[in-house]
């Protein structure tokens, strides 16, 4: 406390000193006894001032670090290369990082003003109220960053992020990425686009606008504020692949004029734009190609096979299989995907990277797993396949394994029960809502 | 002249008649002597009226057809399925079409108000000051239509259309299709986009904007005013094709993240948008996939192989061959392409249609033709190939042959001298310009 008092008095004296012109009698060289010589005291204190300030900051920071609820007021920094768990409001305690704390990540200053170096990042997640986006936001908030969610709520739902509304590090903006937006951020996770055929076919032109103009707008933002940009592309860029499993070097087999093309070609063009902003404007970019993903918070009736089967089995309806049910998909649990996205964003490789689970299932095998998990008496109903539906899709993830040190950890038989619990609750609420 | 007088008098009487309610005494069945019975005269003339009107139309039209300079005031119609030659201000004389003159093309009224039935169309050509666009405009003006050219002059040149400036049926608007525009037109030929790698790679993001937002804007216009829309897509949608020659059903082999992708993916997405506007909004669309084209008014230094070779041979420089010179291209003379575009627009088939000359040449064979045509002493210089350059490209045009009754007529050894004359003049002017 004595030190703090001294510091305050020093600050006061400095203010006075700044009004006095610097003349030869003030030279510290000739002074020996600070207390007896008021003018020299200023200089002695001046030379110690920085040290005292640092001690004060250390005391203050330690206090705040020990008080998680005050973490908003404290400077913080995460270890970028370690993907963290999901716990909300988790507090950073990488004290070993203090030594490098004044060096900002990626050599750029953070958007959040900090006392001492340890910095928190400000991150925008477009489509952050959606299925994947909301899980990503949970992870980023959990590791201590500030997150701004942009969503137009076409397929996103406020329910997915409502548990974060009380968190001062969380912000939600109702905005359509087709229109430009200006934000001061360090990183942009660009997820905004309806991703299931039933939604993206609803308004194909809007789907293309979202993919092309939305990506243009977010890349423009990244360029303007010097943020790192991550595009969530899709396995659909491989179309109906002639290579199996698909490597990132495969150029794909996509119908440019089909009913699904709005999504496939839109995402391909989004990739092109991303690389063009990188090559032409030096924007730091990352590209992920996401394969089929499932988990809690998926839309109940989005026509995707996993959510279809699970919802149908819970509702005691027959599970709908399109075509002969022998087309294969790989299913990735959402937490694996989120870990991959963060590893890609924090890593040094542009991509594109396949992010998916190589464990391959036919539709019929998937139906079996759903039956085993939910209801052994569930039945199957066959319907004709939709146009251009790819026959098989399986990621080759050796590039992500090698360069991002990432691979999915949760097998289908472990992940599905986690999703089923969420679906059961939502379908129950739905039914209650109808009944009341 | 007597007939005309009668017709006028008849028209006057009809106007009167329309004010009188139709009552039994007007029945023509009971009338024998038209002159003695004024009421029956109306009816006698009424039954002959259509014949007189047609005779009047014939006289009027013949007059205007003999007076080309008055053609702006005269109604005119072309036979849609007959591609016409290039002569400026060519006058329509398909008198056998007069019988269907009051039925507008495509069942919709024309934009140009007409006195008597034969209608002229109002047509917008985006990129109409460019190489292909300006030849298309010549043809449309030549057959008697009104043409509005939209060009931002990035690669288009006023020189290409300056000979039309005095024509009241021609209009030039400096406008970038990336911005919307509202015009009352019957047909939209959407050609606007830099088409040679040296130009479209100059600003890849702008290239994508032009292809995607430009096409969006013109499709929006087509939807709004009920115009028919023709997209000029490209053989580049086939990428580095694994099928040879390429049919329209081939989905292509395109790198989504390469340096050429801005054009290839931009055009693919433009095709997607075109089909989505057709499927979703009922817009009448046509898609052409244009293969390599050459002819007068090509850019001198656009990096395309034909213009490169010709300009280099005229300038006595060695001809640059990229790679080993064994990659093949098909070369189509521009008048063949223009005939194909018009046949497609006027026909009833959406496409996509390959428009190209299947005559295949390696780069080295092309160099030989250029040598033979211009300068037998011309030499060849080899340079490394650019990234993603397709190894071979040759259209399968059986679909256009069958459904559009179109095929190219001018072989390379006939078309090249026509282009060489134009290039010689321009290079000469250029050199004089430098010298003065």
């Amino acid at each position: 406390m004595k030190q703090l008092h001294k510091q305050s008095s020093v600050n006061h004296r400095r203010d006075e000193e700044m009004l006095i012109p610097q003349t030869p009698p003030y030279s510290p060289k000739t002074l020996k006894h600070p207390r007896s010589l008021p003018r020299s005291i200023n200089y002695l204190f001046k030379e110690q001032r920085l040290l005292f300030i640092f001690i004060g900051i250390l005391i203050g920071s330690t206090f705040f670090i020990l008080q998680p609820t005050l973490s908003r007021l404290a400077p913080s920094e995460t270890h970028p290369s370690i993907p963290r768990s999901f716990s909300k409001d988790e507090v950073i305690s990488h004290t070993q990082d203090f030594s490098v704390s004044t060096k900002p990540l990626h050599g750029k200053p953070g958007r959040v003003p900090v006392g001492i170096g340890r910095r928190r990042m400000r991150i925008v997640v477009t489509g952050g109220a959606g299925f994947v986006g909301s899980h990503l936001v949970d992870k980023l908030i959990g590791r201590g960053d500030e997150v701004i969610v942009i969503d137009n709520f076409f397929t996103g739902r406020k329910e997915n992020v409502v548990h974060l509304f009380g968190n001062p590090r969380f912000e939600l903006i109702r905005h359509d990425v087709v229109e430009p937006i200006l934000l001061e951020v360090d990183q942009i996770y660009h997820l905004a686009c309806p991703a299931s055929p039933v939604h993206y076919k609803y308004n194909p032109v809007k789907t293309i606008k979202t993919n092309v103009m939305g990506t243009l707008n977010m890349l423009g933002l990244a360029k303007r504020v010097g943020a790192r940009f991550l595009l969530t592309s899709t396995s659909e860029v491989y179309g109906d692949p002639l290579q199996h499993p698909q490597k990132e070097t495969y150029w794909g087999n996509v119908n440019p004029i089909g009913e699904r093309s709005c999504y496939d070609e839109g995402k391909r063009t989004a990739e092109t734009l991303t690389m063009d902003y990188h090559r032409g404007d030096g924007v730091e970019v990352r590209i992920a190609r996401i394969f089929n993903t499932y988990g809690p918070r998926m839309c109940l009736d989005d026509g995707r096979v996993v959510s279809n089967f699970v919802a149908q089995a819970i509702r005691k309806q027959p599970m709908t299989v399109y075509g002969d049910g022998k087309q294969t998909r790989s299913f990735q649990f959402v937490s694996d995907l989120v870990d991959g996205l963060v590893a890609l964003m924090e890593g040094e490789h542009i991509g594109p990277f396949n992010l998916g689970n190589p464990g391959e299932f036919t539709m019929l095998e998937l139906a079996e797993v759903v039956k085993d998990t939910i209801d052994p008496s569930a039945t199957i109903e066959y319907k004709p396949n939709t146009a251009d539906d790819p026959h098989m899709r399986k990621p080759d993830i050796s590039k992500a394994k090698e360069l991002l040190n990432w691979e999915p950890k949760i097998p289908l038989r472990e992940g599905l029960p986690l999703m089923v619990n969420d679906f059961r609750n939502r379908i129950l609420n739905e039914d209650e809502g109808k009944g009341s």
Side-chain angles (χ1 to χ4, degrees), chain A:
Chain A
M1 291 308 287
K2 198 181 166 192
Q3 278 174 326
L4 277 174
H5 190 73
K6 271 186 191 169
Q7 189 189 348
S8 156
S9 117
V10 165
N11 278 335
H12 185 63
R13 288 182 191 193
R14 183 179 56 179
D15 291 342
E16 287 175 348
E17 178 198 313
M18 287 171 78
L19 301 171
I20 304 163
Q22 299 258 340
T23 48
Y26 286 94
S27 166
K29 300 272 162 59
T30 60
L31 303 170
K32 297 282 187 285
H33 307 283
R35 286 284 165 204
S36 62
L37 295 161
R39 284 179 181 173
S40 64
I41 285 169
N42 285 344
Y43 278 91
L44 192 64
F45 279 139
K46 189 182 181 185
E47 285 176 59
Q48 294 179 343
R49 191 183 297 143
L50 277 173
L51 179 65
F52 287 139
I53 289 172
F54 277 120
I55 293 166
I57 290 170
L58 269 175
I59 292 167
S61 303
T62 309
F63 174 75
F64 285 120
I65 285 163
L66 296 172
Q67 298 277 338
T69 53
L70 289 176
S71 62
R72 177 170 157 247
L73 302 170
S76 59
E77 183 172 16
T78 62
H79 195 297
S81 63
I82 302 177
R84 310 287 300 277
S85 64
F86 274 72
S87 68
K88 183 183 160 187
D89 276 346
E90 189 190 348
V91 182
I92 289 77
S93 57
H94 288 276
T95 44
Q96 72 273 26
D97 281 345
F98 273 39
S99 56
V100 296
S101 59
T102 49
K103 189 191 157 214
L105 220 58
H106 321 135
K108 274 182 268 170
R111 299 287 154 182
V112 184
V114 282
I116 16 177
R118 238 172 117 234
R119 63 188 284 271
R120 181 201 308 160
M121 274 188 295
R122 199 176 287 161
I123 302 172
V124 64
V125 179
T126 72
F131 160 48
V132 174
S134 64
H135 285 289
L136 173 64
V137 169
D138 281 345
K139 187 180 175 81
L140 299 174
I141 289 281
R143 75 178 192 184
D145 285 323
E146 231 178 82
V147 176
I148 301 167
V149 163
I150 292 178
D151 211 300
N152 68 353
F153 297 106
F154 175 58
T155 57
R157 300 181 309 127
K158 276 195 188 168
E159 287 82 348
N160 292 342
V161 288
V162 69
H163 58 285
L164 298 170
F165 281 10
N167 192 317
R169 284 186 287 111
F170 173 82
E171 189 171 325
L172 178 59
I173 303 175
R174 180 183 286 267
H175 175 82
D176 198 308
V177 290
V178 166
E179 301 292 329
I181 189 167
L182 188 52
L183 300 164
E184 288 289 332
V185 291
D186 303 294
Q187 294 183 341
I188 300 169
Y189 284 91
H190 180 44
L191 279 68
C193 185
S196 66
V198 67
H199 292 134
Y200 67 64
K201 283 182 185 176
Y202 174 75
N203 186 344
V205 172
K206 181 66 194 288
T207 301
I208 291 179
K209 281 184 181 172
T210 302
N211 274 320
V212 177
M213 286 150 83
T215 304
L216 258 175
N217 285 330
M218 299 319 293
L219 280 164
L221 174 63
K223 180 183 169 188
R224 211 175 289 128
V225 303
R228 186 177 283 189
F229 174 90
L230 185 148
L231 173 71
T232 53
S233 184
T234 168
S235 61
E236 300 283 335
V237 301
Y238 300 124
D240 197 355
L242 305 173
Q243 185 187 90
H244 198 73
Q246 295 83 50
K247 276 186 185 296
E248 287 87 349
T249 49
Y250 178 53
W251 287 357
N253 181 36
V254 173
N255 180 356
I257 54 172
E259 289 192 4
R260 298 171 74 111
S261 309
C262 57
Y263 187 68
D264 307 3
E265 291 294 346
K267 283 288 186 190
R268 287 173 69 97
T269 302
E271 286 195 11
T272 310
L273 278 170
T274 303
M275 290 309 294
D276 284 332
Y277 265 84
H278 172 67
R279 282 189 289 250
D281 300 299
V283 174
E284 286 193 344
V285 300
R286 304 287 182 266
I287 299 175
R289 290 179 180 160
I290 301 177
F291 284 66
N292 270 7
T293 306
Y294 69 98
R297 299 183 196 160
M298 275 186 96
C299 289
L300 285 176
D301 302 295
D302 65 357
R304 282 155 178 270
V305 62
V306 183
S307 47
N308 267 6
F309 283 4
V310 170
Q312 286 168 333
I314 291 175
R315 286 172 178 149
K316 307 279 179 200
Q317 295 164 349
M319 295 183 280
T320 312
V321 170
Y322 293 91
D324 61 3
K326 284 175 185 161
Q327 64 272 44
T328 65
R329 288 289 187 289
S330 59
F331 302 103
Q332 160 180 240
F333 191 65
V334 64
S335 67
D336 282 337
L337 170 61
V338 166
D339 288 348
L341 291 175
V342 173
L344 172 57
M345 177 66 104
E346 306 294 351
E348 294 308 311
H349 301 278
I350 291 170
F353 284 98
N354 289 336
L355 296 182
N357 194 323
E360 208 174 0
F361 290 82
T362 66
M363 299 297 104
L364 294 178
E365 286 169 340
L366 174 68
E368 277 307 308
V369 179
V370 174
K371 269 173 78 170
D372 296 351
T373 310
I374 300 174
D375 179 5
S377 69
T379 57
I380 291 174
E381 183 188 42
Y382 290 88
K383 283 194 181 172
N385 209 345
T386 54
D388 303 346
D389 190 39
H391 300 114
M392 45 188 192
R393 195 79 65 64
K394 178 185 170 179
D396 179 324
I397 59 166
S398 43
K399 188 176 171 189
K401 263 187 189 168
E402 187 195 340
L403 297 177
L404 302 180
N405 194 26
W406 171 88
E407 64 180 315
K409 288 167 193 146
I410 300 181
L412 186 60
R413 287 188 183 270
E414 262 181 51
L416 207 61
L418 301 173
M419 175 179 172
V420 169
N421 288 338
D422 171 72
F423 267 49
R424 250 196 250 277
N425 289 337
R426 282 157 66 196
I427 289 173
L428 198 69
N429 287 340
E430 215 173 53
D431 293 346
E432 277 175 0
K434 278 177 196 160
S436 66

